[in-house]
Amino acid sequence: MPEKSKATTAMKATRAGTRPGGRSARVRAAVVAATLAELAEKGYDQLTVEAICHRADVNKSTVYRRWGGVDGLIADALALSADQPWPIPDTGNVDEDIQLMAHEVYTTFTDPGLRTTPTALIGAALRSDLGAEALSAFFTARHQQAAEVVMRAVERGQLPVGVDPVELVRAATAPLYHQLFITGEPLDERAAHRAAAAALLAARAGLFDATAP
């Protein structure tokens, strides 16, 4: 069976079963941590199961059986990240909350102490069909979590009833990811502020009205 097919089968089996606990959870955490470390140091082209196993101190047979290969490992790293709680701002003012969310994206991918691992992981996912699928699921989870900010704002009367929370969150952050991973343009704080402000203006103008035909 080709490696990609094996990886897909292994990842589907992991998602379909119960969440691992005990030793299985420890192995998963160690292998994912090793995958991220190898990605940050060497990049996708030099990522190997052998190096990951050596760093995590696990057998290759375990990794191949459970993840299928490096693409399965990248996908699971994203799945594990999506499962982690994400602190959502709650200042009482939706304009500040959306600005803080956009600024977090800016900081994460521009701070020298923070950017290496997430940049390497997303870059790797974009080069793998399995990784791209996991990346899409990751952003879906993040957008749904962040939608709470918008729903609170609607309840407080700060945004119109009917605004699509996910569309607003996506509009406030998507331009930043576009610069980072599509055009490769330098990202600055003004770009983050501009993306958040434009998304809020669009929402208040009714452009994200989920009830519109």
Side-chain angles (χ1 to χ4, degrees):
M1 181 184 295
E3 181 175 335
K4 178 182 174 183
S5 298
K6 289 192 294 184
T8 303
T9 301
M11 286 303 299
K12 285 182 178 179
T14 298
R15 289 195 293 264
T18 57
R19 293 197 179 279
R23 181 179 180 280
S24 183
R26 290 193 295 273
V27 169
R28 183 190 187 195
V31 170
V32 167
T35 300
L36 294 174
E38 288 290 314
L39 265 177
E41 290 181 11
K42 303 174 183 177
Y44 179 75
D45 288 329
Q46 298 183 55
L47 187 67
T48 66
V49 169
E50 289 75 15
I52 291 167
C53 290
H54 178 74
R55 187 184 285 264
D57 193 23
V58 300
N59 294 324
K60 285 194 296 183
S61 59
T62 298
V63 170
Y64 280 115
R65 181 176 65 252
R66 184 164 172 181
W67 288 278
V70 294
D71 288 345
L73 289 163
I74 291 167
D76 200 33
L78 284 160
L80 191 60
S81 296
D83 287 341
Q84 303 306 308
W86 187 34
I88 305 300
D90 187 9
T91 66
N93 184 315
V94 69
D95 292 71
E96 292 183 27
D97 289 342
I98 297 298
Q99 285 288 346
L100 285 171
M101 286 169 47
H103 193 269
E104 183 184 359
V105 174
Y106 161 75
T107 301
T108 298
F109 289 96
T110 58
D111 187 316
L114 298 174
R115 68 186 182 191
T116 303
T117 297
T119 299
L121 180 58
I122 291 179
L126 292 173
R127 299 182 57 189
S128 156
D129 289 344
L130 196 61
E133 180 184 342
L135 184 62
S136 176
F138 170 82
F139 278 119
T140 295
R142 280 289 186 260
H143 290 158
Q144 289 174 344
Q145 291 176 50
E148 182 181 339
V149 168
V150 181
M151 291 185 284
R152 287 196 301 249
V154 172
E155 291 174 359
R156 292 192 295 251
Q158 296 175 349
L159 288 173
V161 174
V163 64
D164 188 320
V166 170
E167 285 302 317
L168 195 161
V169 170
R170 183 182 289 117
T173 56
L176 309 183
Y177 290 110
H178 185 268
Q179 283 187 226
L180 286 161
F181 296 101
I182 305 301
T183 65
E185 299 171 79
L187 191 63
D188 57 26
E189 287 189 87
R190 290 181 60 193
H193 174 77
R194 187 166 54 244
L200 287 161
L201 282 171
R204 288 180 170 126
L207 297 181
F208 301 141
D209 186 351
T211 65

